[in-house]
Amino acid sequence: MGLLDGVKTLIGDVVAAADRAVVNAGSGKLALALAKFYPGGLVAFLDRLREAGHGDAVESWIGSGENRPIPAAAIAGCLPEAVTERLAYDLNLPAGRVPTALAEFLPAAVAAQSKDGKLKPQPNFSTQVR
């Protein structure tokens, strides 16, 4: 095994560990992290995704049926850099993985925070990060 193969293996292990951390954190952790760091919390972030043209996907998460995906690049475009950094720290992920992790796990997290086609009341602690 060459040096490049060793580096690829190490990178793969780090990415897998980051993904496991998000899965183990569960939907409540993602919703709470957005409540802490995104101005306006989860509700405002979902509104931002709607404004960016992803309303059908967001509504699929809240309603019944299959959750439609949103690309990680679209998630990244809706996250201020300071929020991405704080989410990375809170979720124990590299900052570059935050949009991908949210794209992968946010649909199920929002679905878990929804009931009867409506988002359950959400905490909102964030006012300082812009």
Side-chain angles (χ1 to χ4, degrees):
M1 177 186 287
L3 179 60
L4 185 57
D5 290 330
V7 169
K8 286 180 185 178
T9 300
L10 178 61
I11 290 170
D13 290 347
V14 169
V15 169
D19 287 344
R20 281 192 305 276
V22 173
V23 169
N24 291 337
S27 64
K29 176 87 174 182
L30 285 176
L32 185 59
L34 284 166
K36 290 192 296 187
F37 302 120
Y38 192 86
L42 176 62
V43 173
F45 184 65
L46 296 179
D47 287 343
R48 179 68 187 101
L49 290 172
R50 287 181 185 103
E51 291 168 6
H54 301 286
D56 289 343
V58 170
E59 293 309 314
S60 77
W61 306 346
I62 295 171
S64 60
E66 187 174 334
N67 291 334
R68 295 179 52 195
I70 294 179
I75 300 269
C78 294
L79 286 173
E81 185 177 337
V83 173
T84 300
E85 291 171 4
R86 290 185 181 197
L87 286 171
Y89 180 79
D90 197 60
L91 297 171
N92 196 27
L93 294 172
R97 287 283 301 152
V98 168
T100 302
L102 288 177
E104 291 175 20
F105 300 107
L106 191 59
V110 171
Q113 296 294 316
S114 302
K115 184 176 181 178
D116 299 327
K118 297 189 186 289
L119 194 62
K120 296 175 188 173
Q122 297 292 307
N124 176 17
F125 309 114
S126 65
T127 55
Q128 74 284 5
V129 180
R130 297 262 178 224

